[in-house]
Amino acid sequence: MRNVIGLRNGEAQLIEHDPWQLLREPGEVLPDGLLILPLATWIARRAQRPLGRDGLWLGPDDDVEPLRPWLAQVPLIAVDFPSFRDGRGYSQAYLLRSRLGWHGELRAVGDVLRDQLSHMRQCGFDSYAVREDKCAQDALLGLAGMSVLYGRSVIEPRPLFRRR
Amino acid sequence: MYHYDEYDRALVFERVAQFRDQVRRFMAGELSEEEFLPLRLQNGLYLQKHAYMLRVAIPYGTLGARQMRTLAQIAREYDRGCGHFTTRQNIQFNWIELAQVPDILQRLAEVEMHAIQTSGNCVRNITTEAFAGVAADELLDPRPLAEILRQWSTINPEFLFLPRKFKIAICSAIEDRAAIMMHDIGLYLYRDGHGQMCLRVMVGGGLGRTPILGLQIREGLPWQHLLSYVEAILRVYNRHGRRDNKYKARIKILVKALGIEAFSREVEEEWQHIKDGPAQLTEDEFQRVAAAFEPPAYDSVIDDDLAYDTHLAQDHAFARWVACCVKAHKVPGYASVVLSTKPGDASPPGDLTDAQMDAVADWSEQFGFGEIRIAHEQNLILPDVRKRDLHALWRLACERGLGTANIGLLTDIIACPGGDFCALANATSIPIAQSIQRRFDDLDYLHDLGELSLNISGCINACGHHHIGNIGILGVDKNGSEWYQVTLGGAQGKHSTLGKVIGPSFSAAEIPQVIEQIIATYCAYREQDEAFVDTVRRVGLEPFKERVYAKRPEELICVM
């Protein structure tokens, strides 16, 4: 994928040569390389290539629970934001991280824009495929957000009243 | 009052800087209108018919004198000398320049105010009743939990892009003056049989296109679980609420589609995962916030005041004002005063000029502890006035046009800004309100009619809460012209009821006459001191319909 920002050890950086290809609706024949696939395709391909390192794509309507049995074998999950105004991905990220305890790379894909990056970071995303017509360098500026979080989040599970 | 600490301050100032940059990027063309839209909405900025409108948050309707003076300054320097108090206890400025908004927000931040999340599909201003902390019938002070909720819901990253707006109200008095059944989440705070502070949680209420009263989802929720329980509701809603149709996106539609039992099960299951986690409130945090709402240093005086009693006995106009504008206080010798923003023709409901705002700020210091409340009926309240000062305050209020003795009466009309300002409106509201106020300008007659609420909304979004007015008026569009539908029997409070439509809609010119017919019907059927809404409940809509839709009303009078 292009235009990807990654958090590596807490440092944000542009990923120069991101190896992933996102296939929301994969055809019969899959291309070579590292793919991000819907669960059904992912499971079918797994049967053929048990050592594959493909990632999983989660659509906005998808539940996270069906991913549970496969989490140990998945290096990356991409959560889709069909529009930046559609906030379901934030709750999916919360559940993947906090409920399912998943620690691999969590990538925001779709309508991913500068002014939402800090919220995504708070909800546990650690890579962001910024919309391709936008400047990823510029989007980096949106990652920090505010210094104060009243409530809690995936990366800061204690509400402010436990930190005050 | 709650005062900001370094965290609260840092947050509002950082937010101003962030929005200043977003405005700059929008004006430079780096952000599209579509991208900028939710950013400005979450900073309280709407684009209306003629200009931008800025909605400033007044958390749970409480203002300090200094804050009120800042609002006056903003009205003077950035608007046309006027502000409009809303039915959600906020204030709106209707004539705002986009480029000046960051400076306005900076001014607000300097006095511990903001416009964060006063719009947009997120958790909005937390509301409670205007007499919190002073009402004689209060069980517990709802403000500490309201402030805790305000903080928790402010820029909560998971819940900033919900399917639709989300309103939470909390109340803890015998009378529900916060209209909690009309909210996405309504909270009723009380003590259980063991003296523990608990919450009754209602969900799925709301007016708008599909008016529904909230349903109880939980009884006896220990207060420590407030945040986790609200979080569970929001997470279920964020994941499953409809996003394909904005008119079906409120939580009430989800609750209705699933049924309250199934919805409750979803929430309960989610809540089990988080209830004993770090979101559980601590006694320390409650005490920290509650300390900000400690009662002020009241003088200990006897309840009766000789001079006050004399004024009451001798001054009919004063006595009439006291009867409807002065409310019972917890502390002997004190009262709460409601300043009516509905003088009639002189100004639209909820509007105050900058000079009036400054005057109210002065009075709050002269006759109280520098605190002002905004009621959801769009009036202002001075919560702590000595009874001996009531007469002096009344005279000042009358001079400033804020002493109209019509609180709770027919002309205490709730009205949205309507078609004169709002881009969503189908019809105007303010001229309708004024035409009714003109028709019923005899105060003695209004007092004889007694308690009666009349609410007007310029469109189905129901910002004027027309469904819960004893008389409701809704502006509708018919082939490009403005018409008004009338409902009867709505009520707020513990016995909340949605009004019923009486029949085909009317033109603006007909409305004063229609209201007159409705009132005449009430007078004909009223038994002793029966309130309007009770008469409607007892006799039903038929007699009202007959009279209003009769071609020649004179004949009907003969028949009756």
Side-chain angles (χ1 to χ4, degrees):
Chain A
M1 297 185 78
R2 287 188 295 171
N3 237 15
V4 177
I5 294 172
L7 283 180
R8 300 286 179 263
N9 306 317
E11 289 287 310
Q13 49 189 266
L14 295 179
I15 307 294
E16 288 291 339
H17 301 287
D18 180 73
W20 295 98
Q21 273 185 79
L22 172 60
L23 299 177
R24 289 184 177 89
E25 293 170 1
E28 289 282 312
V29 184
L30 296 176
D32 292 333
L34 286 173
L35 306 180
I36 304 174
L37 301 165
L39 184 60
T41 318
W42 188 92
I43 292 171
R45 189 158 139 110
R46 185 108 205 134
Q48 296 160 4
R49 303 172 47 174
L51 296 176
R53 297 290 296 156
D54 294 321
L56 269 170
W57 172 77
L58 200 61
D61 288 323
D62 296 343
D63 271 336
V64 298
E65 203 54 42
L67 272 54
R68 195 187 278 274
W70 314 102
L71 289 177
Q73 301 151 53
V74 181
L76 176 145
I77 298 174
V79 171
D80 217 334
F81 288 82
S83 153
F84 75 96
R85 284 163 312 192
D86 185 333
R88 285 176 285 184
Y90 298 106
S91 286
Q92 289 170 323
Y94 169 86
L95 292 170
L96 283 168
R97 290 295 199 212
S98 302
R99 187 82 27 97
L100 302 188
W102 191 66
H103 295 293
E105 182 174 341
L106 185 59
R107 177 171 295 190
V109 302
D111 200 10
V112 177
L113 303 173
R114 166 176 162 173
D115 294 286
Q116 285 75 48
L117 288 195
S118 68
H119 311 318
M120 291 172 177
R121 185 176 64 89
Q122 288 288 353
C123 290
F125 288 98
D126 55 3
S127 78
Y128 319 87
V130 177
R131 211 174 76 193
E132 291 202 2
D133 62 322
K134 294 285 180 181
C135 171
Q137 193 74 44
D138 177 66
L140 266 176
L141 299 171
L143 204 54
M146 325 267 281
S147 70
V148 180
L149 173 74
Y150 275 130
R152 65 204 193 99
S153 71
V154 168
I155 61 172
E156 179 46 273
R158 293 167 311 146
L160 181 60
F161 66 79
R162 293 185 185 273
R163 296 176 267 129
R164 241 179 167 113
Chain B
M1 273 188 70
Y2 182 80
H3 287 291
Y4 282 11
D5 68 5
E6 70 264 39
Y7 291 102
D8 305 302
R9 250 189 305 280
L11 183 131
V12 291
F13 282 111
E14 285 178 34
R15 179 67 163 204
V16 174
Q18 183 187 59
F19 190 57
R20 192 181 290 281
D21 186 55
Q22 288 165 343
V23 170
R24 182 195 61 73
R25 285 158 54 213
F26 171 66
M27 293 177 82
E30 295 168 31
L31 277 172
S32 69
E33 176 63 47
E34 194 218 348
E35 289 159 10
F36 183 56
L37 177 79
L39 304 180
R40 70 166 159 78
L41 289 179
Q42 296 208 358
N43 285 285
L45 195 61
Y46 282 77
L47 185 55
Q48 296 210 320
K49 264 188 179 164
H50 313 287
Y52 281 99
M53 177 271 276
L54 180 67
R55 182 183 292 155
V56 177
I58 303 177
Y60 36 91
T62 299
L63 273 177
R66 182 162 158 253
Q67 294 173 320
M68 185 62 112
R69 291 196 181 97
T70 300
L71 295 177
Q73 269 173 20
I74 291 169
R76 203 156 39 234
E77 293 173 35
Y78 299 99
D79 199 284
R80 299 182 177 178
C82 184
H84 173 79
F85 290 95
T86 75
T87 51
R88 297 208 75 252
Q89 301 181 297
N90 294 318
I91 184 170
Q92 297 182 178
F93 295 104
N94 280 315
W95 302 95
I96 294 297
E97 295 282 347
L98 175 61
Q100 293 182 324
V101 172
D103 293 340
I104 300 174
L105 295 176
Q106 179 81 21
R107 289 274 191 101
L108 291 169
E110 283 161 9
V111 293
E112 307 183 357
M113 294 183 82
H114 61 77
I116 300 169
Q117 290 170 222
T118 55
S119 178
N121 295 334
C122 49
V123 180
R124 303 287 190 86
N125 187 27
I126 311 297
T127 56
T128 182
E129 69 146 306
F131 300 96
V134 296
D137 70 339
E138 184 168 272
L139 310 175
L140 291 158
D141 190 341
R143 292 171 300 171
L145 288 180
E147 173 60 26
I148 285 169
L149 259 182
R150 179 193 77 81
Q151 297 191 12
W152 177 85
S153 59
T154 299
I155 321 182
N156 188 324
E158 189 180 339
F159 305 122
L160 291 171
F161 292 92
L162 297 171
R164 197 77 177 86
K165 60 187 169 186
F166 202 90
K167 300 174 178 179
I168 304 177
I170 178 167
C171 162
S172 181
I174 307 281
E175 275 289 314
D176 167 22
R177 285 173 293 259
I180 58 173
M181 289 167 87
M182 257 53 88
H183 286 75
D184 296 285
I185 293 180
L187 300 164
Y188 189 77
L189 180 67
Y190 63 97
R191 279 197 199 283
D192 68 8
H194 309 287
Q196 293 303 308
M197 212 159 66
C198 280
L199 293 153
R200 179 177 308 135
V201 183
M202 252 107 34
V203 70
L207 297 175
R209 193 165 294 250
T210 317
I212 303 179
L213 299 176
L215 295 171
Q216 185 173 312
I217 181 169
R218 201 163 221 292
E219 176 77 9
L221 180 75
W223 64 274
Q224 294 90 337
H225 295 301
L226 169 65
L227 299 182
S228 59
Y229 200 79
V230 173
E231 180 174 317
I233 292 175
L234 278 172
R235 186 164 295 124
V236 170
Y237 172 53
N238 192 36
R239 294 182 64 210
H240 302 299
R242 282 181 66 172
R243 290 174 187 266
D244 58 331
N245 178 345
K246 77 179 250 195
Y247 300 117
K248 297 196 183 298
R250 293 285 290 270
I251 195 172
K252 60 191 172 188
I253 305 292
L254 178 65
V255 173
K256 209 174 156 195
L258 292 178
I260 186 69
E261 289 79 18
F263 181 80
S264 306
R265 276 197 301 277
E266 289 267 340
V267 169
E268 195 66 24
E269 194 191 323
E270 178 58 38
W271 185 55
Q272 289 305 323
H273 289 288
I274 55 177
K275 67 188 274 267
D276 298 318
Q280 187 169 339
L281 277 165
T282 60
E283 184 65 30
D284 279 356
E285 172 64 359
F286 183 81
Q287 291 307 335
R288 181 186 78 83
V289 178
F293 300 100
E294 281 293 304
Y298 293 112
D299 291 334
S300 103
V301 286
I302 52 162
D303 198 37
D304 293 324
D305 183 86
L306 192 60
Y308 168 66
D309 291 342
T310 310
H311 284 303
L312 266 188
Q314 292 176 350
D315 191 336
H316 172 62
F318 175 63
R320 202 170 50 192
W321 179 75
V322 168
C324 68
C325 297
V326 173
K327 305 292 175 187
H329 199 289
K330 276 181 179 172
V331 179
Y334 284 83
S336 297
V337 168
V338 187
L339 299 168
S340 170
T341 70
K342 292 100 181 251
D345 239 1
S347 113
D351 275 21
L352 246 66
T353 64
D354 60 324
Q356 286 177 317
M357 291 183 216
D358 279 333
V360 173
D362 291 347
W363 303 337
S364 78
E365 289 172 336
Q366 191 182 343
F367 301 113
F369 301 93
E371 199 175 308
I372 301 142
R373 309 285 181 82
I374 313 304
H376 82 87
E377 293 90 351
Q378 304 176 285
N379 294 309
L380 271 56
I381 283 136
L382 297 178
D384 305 298
V385 183
R386 287 278 298 266
K387 284 186 177 170
R388 66 160 188 228
D389 293 332
L390 285 171
H391 192 259
L393 172 60
W394 170 66
R395 292 181 58 168
L396 289 168
C398 288
E399 279 170 30
R400 290 284 185 182
L402 294 168
T404 310
N406 65 348
I407 296 303
L409 307 181
L410 174 63
T411 54
D412 183 11
I413 294 173
I414 296 180
C416 67
D420 294 308
F421 297 97
C422 180
L424 303 172
N426 288 323
T428 58
S429 312
I430 294 166
I432 296 298
Q434 289 176 327
S435 71
I436 297 166
Q437 288 167 329
R438 270 197 301 276
R439 183 70 64 106
F440 293 91
D441 63 350
D442 179 343
L443 272 179
D444 285 323
Y445 181 56
L446 287 172
H447 278 256
D448 287 344
L449 292 178
E451 209 172 293
L452 207 174
S453 60
L454 193 155
N455 300 359
I456 307 175
S457 304
C459 78
I460 195 75
N461 290 310
C463 296
H465 298 176
H466 63 276
H467 301 108
I468 54 167
N470 298 162
I471 301 175
I473 300 180
L474 165 67
V476 290
D477 174 86
K478 273 200 217 163
N479 307 320
S481 64
E482 298 184 0
W483 291 83
Y484 296 88
Q485 191 181 70
V486 173
T487 50
L488 290 182
Q492 62 177 49
K494 283 239 170 96
H495 304 287
S496 291
T497 314
L498 301 170
K500 292 197 180 77
V501 178
I502 63 166
S505 48
F506 307 97
S507 71
E510 290 172 304
I511 285 289
Q513 179 66 17
V514 168
I515 303 301
E516 209 159 76
Q517 299 296 350
I518 289 170
I519 296 303
T521 313
Y522 160 56
C523 291
Y525 282 88
R526 174 189 207 179
E527 288 179 351
Q528 285 109 30
D529 287 338
E530 193 176 40
F532 176 86
V533 70
D534 294 326
T535 303
V536 176
R537 281 176 182 153
R538 184 169 55 78
V539 306
L541 294 189
E542 273 320 309
F544 293 91
K545 284 185 185 174
E546 268 175 35
R547 180 134 187 179
V548 167
Y549 293 102
K551 282 220 166 61
R552 296 180 59 193
E554 303 83 3
E555 290 176 5
L556 256 170
I557 295 170
C558 300
V559 173
M560 291 190 307

